[in-house]
């Protein structure tokens, strides 16, 4: 008789309940009250500031992910890696960011933080079953479910000026909201070749407001242009990995893998269109009456449209001495020029990305020193942004540090507490610069007894 452990179903249910809670929050009028504090003028452009989709382990290595293939960590960005999982893994990550925003008029300090991701992945053939039943392990498959924020909008700006006819004026720009992604990932491996597919459901809502007030005209009404837009729809991602294993002769003289290998990986997003719905309101009000609308000039509600998401492609190569050393480098491009938003027409540019990462484990099997079993990580990332200010393209340059602390749970299951620190500069040179420090913390809980077939005689 066979029995199946139901823990995976419980965690999947929790993940789906969280997804429902996020959708309810986005749909409520008070979403801004629970959203983390953010003040980034760049987030007014496009769909907002893009948020990293990589796991905490990858974040400590310059966000290298194309060739990362670990049996105890999820790598949703390249779904092909899921076919090499050795255990069911539940992962969660959070981040906090401290920044100083500077332009030619001064500087301001900001901070933000939020959930980074939730994910649940598992191999479709349990390695314990394969060993006990002496089955062929030349092929395997994996699956994962995940949810993560993809873009964040948040800014509150005051622009003061003077007009020859109306005198001193104040422009107040405010925005909030964001987009999210729920992903179903599948992967298949045959010998050294793996391929995977991500099915993404994208959703979210953003609000942008511009208020103009005439400070020197006491009886003058202020005007507000309020734009709300939401998106929903499917998109697809893909990933491929190939592993070349170096071999050495064993005691019988047969060549077997020696743990050293070369990994090649590519991944990308296919882009495509998602549904959009927008509302645009132009109204006038008395600034002294708490923005109570006095006159609505135009109100274009529930206007249907389309948003074409940018496609992307990246590839990399890495050398790995398993459980000892990993060194990877990769290059990618986001085709921002393909972005189209019928509700808010904008022009974005293509953006290039270069990343380098390294992971080192002094002695993975050490019994006397815990610190020799820790995974130490370092990386560098040099990236363009698809958005521009005054025809100058935004960019990000950063260095990263990280560590993965192994944790032994009951039944000797291997799990990890991971953290990453990123120090960098983001924005448009000499126009709007942001110097920041970002801390990301996550855990990976693994259990290879899930989906294990127990036999009772």
């Amino acid at each position: 008789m066979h029995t199946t452990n139901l823990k995976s179903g419980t965690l999947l249910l929790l993940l789906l309940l969280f997804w429902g809670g996020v959708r309810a929050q986005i749909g409520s009028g008070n979403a801004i009250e629970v959203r983390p504090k953010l003040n980034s003028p760049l987030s007014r452009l496009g769909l907002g500031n893009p948020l990293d989709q990589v796991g905490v382990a990858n974040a400590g290595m310059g966000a290298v992910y194309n060739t990362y293939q670990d049996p105890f960590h999820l790598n949703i960005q390249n779904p092909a890696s899921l076919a090499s999982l050795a255990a069911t893994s539940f992962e969660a990550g959070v981040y906090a960011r401290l920044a100083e925003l500077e332009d030619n008029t001064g500087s301001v300090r900001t901070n933000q933080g939020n959930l980074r991701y939730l994910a649940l992945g598992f191999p479709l053939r349990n390695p314990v079953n394969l060993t006990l039943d002496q089955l062929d392990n030349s092929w395997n498959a994996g699956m994962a479910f995940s949810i993560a924020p993809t873009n964040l909008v948040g800014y509150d700006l005051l622009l003061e000026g003077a007009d020859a006819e109306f005198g001193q004026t104040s422009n107040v720009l405010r925005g909030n909201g964001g987009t999210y992604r729920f992903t179903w990932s599948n992967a298949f491996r045959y010998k050294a070749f793996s391929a995977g597919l991500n099915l993404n459901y994208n959703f979210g809502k953003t609000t942008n407001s511009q208020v103009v007030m005439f400070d020197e005209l006491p009886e003058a009404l202020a005007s507000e242009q309020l734009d709300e837009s939401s998106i929903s729809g499917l998109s697809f991602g893909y990933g491929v990995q190939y592993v070349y294993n170096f071999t050495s002769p064993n005691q019988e003289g047969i060549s077997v893998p020696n743990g050293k290998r070369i990994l090649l990986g590519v991944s990308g997003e296919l882009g495509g269109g998602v549904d959009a719905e927008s509302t645009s309101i132009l109204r006038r009000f008395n600034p002294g009456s708490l923005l109570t609308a006095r006159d609505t000039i135009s109100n274009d509600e529930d206007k249907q449209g389309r948003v074409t998401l940018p496609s992307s492609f990246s590839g990399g190569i890495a050398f790995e001495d398993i459980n000892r050393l990993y060194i990877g480098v990769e290059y990618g491009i986001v085709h921002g020029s393909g972005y189209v938003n019928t509700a808010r027409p904008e022009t974005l540019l293509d953006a290039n990305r270069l990343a380098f990462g390294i992971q080192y484990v002094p002695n993975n099997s050490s019994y006397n020193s815990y610190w020799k079993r820790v995974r130490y990580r370092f990386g560098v990332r040099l990236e363009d942004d698809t958005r521009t200010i005054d025809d100058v393209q935004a960019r990000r340059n950063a260095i990263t540090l990280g560590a993965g602390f192994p944790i032994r749970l009951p039944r000797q299951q291997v799990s990890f507490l991971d953290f990453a620190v990123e120090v960098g500069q983001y924005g448009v040179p000499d126009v709007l610069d942001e110097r920041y420090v970002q801390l990301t913390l996550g855990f990976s809980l693994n259990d290879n007894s899930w989906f294990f077939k127990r036999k009772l005689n």
Side-chain angles (χ1 to χ4, degrees):
M1 180 175 66
H2 302 282
T3 63
T4 303
N5 197 311
L6 298 180
K7 295 179 182 178
S8 60
T10 301
L11 283 178
L12 177 58
L13 178 61
L14 291 175
L15 191 152
L16 293 175
L17 287 174
F18 171 82
W19 177 35
V22 169
R23 295 194 64 183
Q25 174 182 316
I26 292 176
S28 69
N30 297 325
I32 188 173
E33 296 178 5
V34 295
R35 195 168 297 280
K37 181 167 58 177
L38 172 68
N39 195 359
S40 174
L42 267 178
S43 68
R44 185 175 176 85
L45 306 176
L47 292 177
N49 286 359
L51 299 177
D52 289 331
Q53 302 299 296
V54 297
V56 182
N58 306 93
M61 297 185 290
V64 168
Y65 59 84
N66 275 288
T67 54
Y68 190 70
Q69 189 181 98
D70 189 277
F72 300 109
H73 283 90
L74 300 179
N75 179 12
I76 304 298
Q77 281 292 90
N78 190 333
S81 65
L82 299 174
S84 298
L85 286 175
T88 297
S89 180
F90 175 71
E91 293 194 7
V94 295
Y95 75 95
R97 182 184 180 104
L98 301 176
E100 183 177 25
L101 193 65
E102 182 179 6
D103 64 7
N104 55 11
T105 63
S107 62
V108 62
R109 292 187 177 181
T110 66
N111 62 82
Q112 67 177 100
N114 205 347
L115 179 75
R116 180 79 169 257
Y117 58 84
L118 284 176
L120 172 67
F122 43 85
L124 297 184
R125 301 181 78 200
N126 189 293
V128 178
N129 295 335
L130 299 179
T131 301
L132 294 178
D133 296 338
Q134 298 182 344
L135 298 176
D136 180 21
N137 193 27
S138 63
W139 72 272
N140 207 337
M143 183 183 295
F145 299 90
S146 61
I147 185 170
T150 52
N151 295 86
L152 185 62
V153 174
Y155 57 91
D156 190 346
L157 306 173
L158 173 62
L159 305 178
E160 297 180 332
D163 184 88
E165 183 177 357
F166 301 107
Q168 187 72 22
T169 61
S170 296
N171 282 265
V172 180
L173 305 178
R174 292 191 179 98
N176 69 88
T179 59
Y180 295 78
R181 172 175 291 176
F182 178 79
T183 301
W184 177 32
S185 307
N186 288 275
F188 179 82
R189 174 181 63 82
Y190 179 70
K191 294 185 177 179
F193 179 82
S194 303
L197 179 68
N198 285 337
L199 174 61
N200 308 309
Y201 177 67
N202 306 276
F203 62 98
K205 179 180 179 180
T206 59
T207 301
N208 294 277
S209 168
Q210 180 177 4
V211 176
V212 179
M213 294 178 288
F214 303 95
D215 302 330
E216 297 182 358
L217 300 177
E219 303 299 325
L221 295 177
S223 62
E224 179 185 24
Q225 177 67 48
L226 179 65
D227 297 309
E228 294 182 344
S229 62
S230 60
I231 65 167
S232 62
L234 299 176
S235 64
F236 296 90
Y238 63 90
V240 176
Q241 289 184 333
Y242 177 79
V243 178
Y244 175 79
N245 290 292
F246 294 97
T247 61
S248 298
N250 60 13
Q251 294 181 347
E252 289 77 25
I254 303 174
S255 294
V256 296
N258 59 17
K260 297 180 176 62
R261 58 184 188 172
I262 297 292
L263 301 98
L264 303 174
V266 297
S267 65
E269 298 285 339
L270 297 181
V274 297
D275 294 329
E277 185 177 286
S278 62
T279 296
S280 181
I281 301 174
L282 177 60
R283 59 191 181 188
R284 292 182 296 188
F285 60 90
N286 186 339
S289 61
L290 299 179
L291 301 186
T292 301
R294 176 174 292 185
D295 183 21
T296 298
I297 300 175
S298 64
N299 187 357
D300 190 2
E301 293 185 335
D302 303 329
K303 183 178 180 180
Q304 303 300 314
R306 296 284 287 177
V307 172
T308 301
L309 301 175
S311 62
S312 64
F313 174 83
S314 61
I317 184 172
F319 168 79
E320 183 176 24
D321 185 356
I322 296 177
N323 292 326
R324 180 72 174 181
L325 178 66
Y326 170 93
I327 302 175
V329 62
E330 64 187 43
Y331 167 80
I333 183 171
V334 177
H335 298 286
S337 56
Y339 172 81
V340 176
N341 188 339
T342 59
R344 295 181 61 202
E346 292 180 270
T347 299
L348 302 183
L349 302 181
D350 294 343
N352 299 301
R353 179 178 68 90
L354 182 64
F356 167 80
I358 182 171
Q359 175 179 272
Y360 176 68
V361 187
N363 186 351
N364 186 64
S365 59
S366 175
Y367 289 99
N368 298 323
S369 175
Y370 173 81
W371 296 103
K372 290 184 178 181
R373 302 198 303 272
V374 173
R375 301 182 174 194
Y376 300 96
R377 302 173 178 127
F378 170 78
V380 177
R381 56 191 304 182
L382 308 173
E383 304 174 359
D384 295 327
D385 193 286
T386 59
R387 299 163 297 175
T388 63
I389 296 180
D390 295 337
D391 296 324
V392 180
Q393 191 166 5
R395 52 89 185 99
R396 167 164 60 178
N397 300 326
I399 60 173
T400 65
L401 295 171
F405 298 96
I407 303 171
R408 288 287 182 178
L409 297 179
R411 301 191 308 277
Q412 297 300 303
Q413 304 297 325
V414 179
S415 296
F416 289 89
L417 177 65
D418 296 289
F419 86 92
V421 177
E422 179 173 312
V423 181
Q425 193 166 5
Y426 178 64
V428 179
D430 301 322
V431 178
L432 185 67
D433 256 328
E434 179 186 27
R435 292 181 292 273
Y436 69 91
V437 176
Q438 180 168 298
L439 172 66
T440 310
L441 181 67
F443 61 82
S444 175
L445 302 179
N446 298 284
D447 190 346
N448 62 14
S449 67
W450 297 13
F451 304 109
F452 172 59
K453 296 184 296 183
R454 295 169 174 82
K455 299 182 180 181
L456 302 179
N457 297 322

